[in-house]
Amino acid sequence: MAKIFIFLDDTSEFYKLSKNLINSSEAKIFSFNIIVHKFLEDKKIEHEIAESYLSKEDHFKIFDTTVSFWEWHESERINKEFQYEDVNVLGLLNTAEFHHFLVRELYKFFVIKRIIEKEKPDKIFVNNRFKNIISKLSSNNHISINQIDTKKYNFLFYWDKISYEFNLGKFPISIQLSRNNYQRIKTFFESIICKLFSLDLKPNENKKIILFVEFNPLQYSELFENLKNYEGIVSLLNYRRPAVWNMDSLNFLRKSNCKLIRMENFLNPSDKKLISDLVIDYLEKLERLWADDYLKNKFTVEGITIWPLVKEILFETFRKRIYEYLSLIFFTKKILAKTNVGCIVTLNLFGESEKAILNLNKNNKPSILLEHGFANYVPEISRFDITSGLGIFKDKIAVWGDIQKQYLVNVLKIPEKKILVVGSPRHDKFFRQMISTKTDSVRTVLITPGLFDQTNAQSGTFSYLRLENLLRKTFKIFESFQNVKLIVKLHPAQNPDSEYIKKLINQLNPDVMIYHTEPIQKILEYCDTVVNIHTEVLPSTVLLEALIMEKPVMNISLVDENHNFQFIKDNAVMQVTDKSDLEKHFKTILYDEDLRKELIKNAQKHLQSYLSNQGKASKHFAGILKLF
């Protein structure tokens, strides 16, 4: 009997199949994501979850392989062709964006490869995207590949489309803009605002400046307030995200005397003409490089080249962005030449603007990488620390406390002289004594589900099913509790994962209030207890914020591996899993006052070692910056 497989990556593909094929006893259907799985489950169609063919080692291999491709553009030949002002133009592609794209493609590649290796099918029905993958895998297997439809797969890099959310009265509005339209609107809006309120930093400024790259000024408001008496100028280079997006941000920038560094003030018409001429030259080089097989061997996985699978989208991305990248090189070079930069402060080193300013810093102006998220790395998950850039940053690293410092010294072997222990400037306000807005006797429980980060290659359909089962169980248990109110705060990221979880919660319990982009501090202030759902790898920053605000925390792990985080060793949270006796644990954390006090006490001890300069980190860090 022939082995006929059907690979479904989108629900629309199901309707392109004949009923005879779907009902055939010879056909086996595979779902490739949670949406397709739930769709087939609702229709009571027997199928297998394709990701079940991946081993634990495969998940790690997908992540590690993706990281190994980060420097694909680094070679003598490519550097010779694509370097401008000693900066590799192709290397300016946002590393996180490239990783996000490639890890998804490798995930599918590995799943399909493992199924074919194990099952050895005779015939496969697939979409156009999967057809290309299988054609690379089946050259010697004589598999009959049948395309379900002729629709071309629409590849998108993460920042090709930019979502923007705002409230119109009580109604949340979400719009999507293309990358080019977003930049045009941002440039136009900032131009008006800066001219009206004199926020521009102009070229040839002699005063020393502290250059902050891609900072949210409101999130770091206390840091900027502590720099108001700086004798030089505090400036913001916000190429990706706007520094001004509402009245609060505008009023704060005016009050704090921050200046914005904008491209239109540094590039003149002759610069733009030269950039346009260079674009023509670099596009010709790009076509020549893509026309031969040089890159074919650079993108090899388990002896098979995946270059044909990524070739087209990479070419289109560079074709559309080559002008942008060259403009960034011109812009950042002029910043360094025409201003007196005393120090550069950045939150990461993988974005386009960060890469440009750091790579062009030929005079070795002091630069500081400021830790900006809760990253309690432990040795068993050390492979993931590469995404923070901590191990590869060349200058000073400012960390939140001694726990992170010891990790950098002992595990990453970073010299102590490179490490500044400053605390977390963004969390100073969380230590301020606040008057609670809570006025009733109802106990409010805040549930904070973490995101399934696709870039780690650790999650999939089974992760979502596990989360769904946990939420269903949790809501059912709390129905029996008196005077308990549930609210949910999602991760503020704008991605399909957040939307899926939001819809899931609405289906399971439509009465639960869901917050998304609202400030977490006000929500924490209102609640009595936090139930944090640890989805994978790193803990959520909201867990740390709940500890700061003295809220008893239950941390429910959705992963079987018990990573030995310091907050667990310090008993700063009630640590359980989704397989625990949750009803018993919920009652304990809600009503056992001795335990609640003990958790808060332990949390404060933990914070002493994890966060230095509590409530004063901004003042401490500002003092360091003023010395440069």
Side-chain angles (χ1 to χ4, degrees), residues 351-562:
E352 299 96 338
S353 42
E354 292 90 346
K355 285 183 177 182
I357 198 77
L358 293 171
N359 288 338
L360 280 163
N361 183 21
K362 303 304 180 184
N363 294 325
N364 294 320
K365 301 285 187 180
S367 57
I368 299 174
L369 176 64
L370 175 62
E371 182 184 351
H372 67 283
F374 188 26
N376 188 186
Y377 288 111
V378 290
E380 56 264 37
I381 57 171
S382 60
R383 65 172 12 101
F384 298 103
D385 65 31
I386 186 68
T387 58
S388 69
L390 295 171
I392 57 178
F393 192 66
K394 296 177 181 178
D395 208 342
K396 302 289 186 182
I397 302 170
V399 298
W400 287 1
D402 287 330
I403 290 177
Q404 277 296 81
K405 176 183 176 180
Q406 292 309 313
Y407 180 82
L408 298 187
V409 172
N410 298 331
V411 179
L412 297 183
K413 307 303 180 185
I414 295 174
E416 285 195 49
K417 64 182 180 180
K418 285 184 58 177
I419 304 170
L420 305 171
V421 179
V422 300
S424 174
R426 64 177 278 197
H427 286 113
D428 282 340
K429 56 190 174 184
F430 283 79
F431 287 97
R432 305 283 178 256
Q433 189 65 38
M434 301 181 70
I435 300 173
S436 176
T437 58
K438 191 172 174 57
T439 58
D440 54 40
S441 59
V442 174
R443 290 187 182 253
T444 302
V445 177
L446 172 63
I447 300 174
T448 55
L451 284 181
F452 295 114
D453 190 348
Q454 292 183 4
T455 60
N456 293 327
Q458 302 303 297
S459 58
T461 297
F462 294 105
S463 307
Y464 287 99
L465 292 176
R466 202 161 170 176
L467 175 63
E468 179 180 344
N469 290 334
L470 172 61
L471 289 173
R472 180 181 287 107
K473 194 189 308 182
T474 298
F475 293 147
K476 185 172 179 59
I477 290 170
F478 275 111
E479 283 178 4
S480 63
F481 289 11
Q482 298 295 317
N483 295 322
V484 173
K485 177 183 177 182
L486 299 181
I487 57 176
V488 172
K489 172 66 169 71
L490 300 179
H491 191 284
Q494 306 291 326
N495 66 24
D497 187 43
S498 294
E499 291 305 312
Y500 178 84
I501 296 174
K502 187 184 297 184
K503 289 178 182 177
L504 173 61
I505 293 170
N506 281 326
Q507 290 171 0
L508 295 174
N509 191 337
D511 296 327
V512 172
M513 174 68 75
I514 302 174
Y515 297 97
H516 189 191
T517 57
E518 294 79 1
I520 185 61
Q521 188 175 6
K522 291 183 179 179
I523 299 171
L524 282 169
E525 177 190 346
Y526 181 75
C527 75
D528 301 287
T529 306
V530 174
V531 175
N532 182 66
I533 301 175
H534 176 71
T535 50
E536 59 170 80
V537 190
L538 291 176
S540 169
T541 303
V542 73
L543 183 149
L544 180 76
E545 292 161 343
L547 298 183
I548 295 172
M549 296 187 68
E550 301 187 2
K551 306 296 180 180
V553 176
M554 175 188 289
N555 190 51
I556 306 178
S557 178
L558 284 182
V559 295
D560 295 322
E561 297 81 5
N562 186 21

Side-chain angles (χ1 to χ4, degrees), residues 84 266-278 323 327 330 334 338:
Y84 187 77
F266 284 78
L267 298 188
N268 56 42
S270 62
D271 292 327
K272 294 176 182 178
K273 174 65 169 61
L274 177 55
I275 292 168
S276 296
D277 292 339
L278 285 169
Y323 182 89
S327 298
F330 270 69
K334 286 204 169 186
K338 293 182 173 293

Side-chain angles (χ1 to χ4, degrees), residues 257-311:
N257 298 322
C258 289
K259 296 295 184 181
L260 303 189
I261 300 181
R262 297 187 303 112
M263 190 178 289
E264 65 180 80
N265 291 322
F266 284 78
L267 298 188
N268 56 42
S270 62
D271 292 327
K272 294 176 182 178
K273 174 65 169 61
L274 177 55
I275 292 168
S276 296
D277 292 339
L278 285 169
V279 167
I280 297 171
D281 180 46
Y282 277 99
L283 285 177
E284 290 176 354
K285 293 178 180 179
L286 193 69
E287 289 178 353
R288 287 197 299 270
L289 178 63
W290 255 246
D292 65 25
D293 290 335
Y294 178 73
L295 291 170
K296 184 177 179 181
N297 295 327
K298 275 185 167 282
F299 286 86
T300 302
V301 181
E302 295 189 346
I304 299 171
T305 180
I306 61 165
W307 177 239
L309 307 178
V310 300
K311 179 179 180 179

